[in-house]
Amino acid sequence: IAGITQAPTSQILAAGRRMTLRCTQDMRHNAMYWYRQDLGLGLRLIHYSNTAGTTGKGEVPDGYSVSRANTDDFPLTLASAVPSQTSVYFCASSALAGEHNEQFFGPGTRLTVL
Amino acid sequence: GESVGLHLPTLSVQEGDNSIINCAYSNSASDYFIWYKQESGKGPQFIIDIRSNMDKRQGQRVTVLLNKTVKHLSLQIAATQPGDSAVYFCAEPRRYSSASKIIFGSGTRLSIRP
């Protein structure tokens, strides 16, 4: 059982390019999340999905979009990358939405935008 | 806004000794906390959680103590091992719109002296 996988592990990207970060979970969790982790700012929620077919905006959604076509996959797309999007991105999932459900985190994608 | 997870940034302990990592929070209404461990290059990993109706909870080699009077949590690791080297976060899940997000503190980096 892999849990949550993310791809790529790391990426260097030119500003203005489009990029999709992939996230897949095999736990049949309903809820999934994307966070970015920046030094001194902790983890900030970008987008979330409570169940397949629904998505919602987090604290820092600008410049990012997500889709949730099925239960397992929750890709994050940067339509036109900018240097301020340089960060480590973590995907997470929980069995159900709601604050009393444990969130499991993937290994992260380190993205550098030049 | 009210904060969670005010940590000392670093802690160094001798291998085999017990480690105590402290965390302060400011919201007296907080009712659920989680400790996460994040090793270099990996995502946060759930260690143990505690609800506000408890003062203490024990896991394998770890104990979390909650003092609601002074709004303080601690994570105790018994017989610290090299594999315990990581950044430890106390975190609080909070409702966010129709979902939830994890509020992470700044973390404490635990290093082990041989």
Side-chain angles (χ1 to χ4, degrees):
Chain A
I1 295 175
I4 300 180
T5 57
Q6 292 183 236
T9 302
S10 65
Q11 182 75 45
I12 299 173
L13 189 67
R17 296 296 295 269
R18 180 183 179 89
M19 176 74 191
T20 295
L21 308 185
R22 299 184 297 279
C23 175
T24 299
Q25 53 100 1
D26 62 3
M27 297 177 283
R28 306 303 293 171
H29 283 175
N30 282 309
M32 297 186 75
Y33 314 83
W34 274 105
Y35 292 86
R36 57 178 290 173
Q37 185 176 36
D38 303 290
L39 195 63
L41 296 174
L43 276 81
R44 293 180 290 170
L45 183 66
I46 304 171
H47 284 286
Y48 64 89
S49 169
N50 287 343
T51 189
T54 69
T55 63
K57 292 182 179 180
E59 302 168 280
V60 289
D62 293 344
Y64 305 96
S65 63
V66 291
S67 62
R68 186 87 184 279
N70 58 62
T71 297
D72 298 344
D73 301 300
F74 191 42
L76 176 74
T77 297
L78 289 68
S80 178
V82 295
S84 63
Q85 291 177 311
T86 294
S87 187
V88 182
Y89 291 85
F90 289 103
C91 180
S93 72
S94 60
L96 297 171
E99 61 268 36
H100 291 152
N101 290 277
E102 179 186 344
Q103 291 189 18
F104 295 83
F105 286 81
T109 292
R110 182 174 295 274
L111 181 67
T112 302
V113 182
L114 302 175
Chain B
E2 293 186 287
S3 60
V4 65
L6 301 176
H7 297 249
L8 288 176
T10 61
L11 177 67
S12 177
V13 301
Q14 193 79 33
E15 183 178 350
D17 288 352
N18 296 337
S19 300
I20 300 176
I21 300 171
N22 295 303
C23 173
Y25 63 96
S26 60
N27 183 2
S28 57
S30 298
D31 65 353
Y32 179 49
F33 298 94
I34 303 174
W35 281 96
Y36 282 92
K37 172 186 181 182
Q38 187 174 18
E39 297 175 89
S40 180
K42 297 184 179 180
Q45 178 186 2
F46 175 95
I47 303 174
I48 192 168
D49 60 359
I50 189 166
R51 298 185 189 276
S52 60
N53 61 352
M54 305 172 71
D55 297 322
K56 179 180 179 178
R57 189 158 190 227
Q58 288 185 290
Q60 187 174 11
R61 274 204 312 121
V62 295
T63 301
V64 56
L65 300 177
L66 175 60
N67 185 329
K68 296 178 285 294
T69 302
V70 296
K71 296 196 280 288
H72 182 271
L73 287 128
S74 67
L75 177 71
Q76 301 178 5
I77 304 172
T80 309
Q81 303 168 0
D84 295 327
S85 292
V87 179
Y88 290 82
F89 297 94
C90 74
E92 179 189 0
R94 287 187 190 163
R95 176 154 292 278
Y96 182 88
S97 186
S98 62
S100 65
K101 64 177 181 179
I102 307 289
I103 306 294
F104 283 80
S106 52
T108 294
R109 181 174 297 278
L110 177 65
S111 59
I112 316 301
R113 301 191 302 273

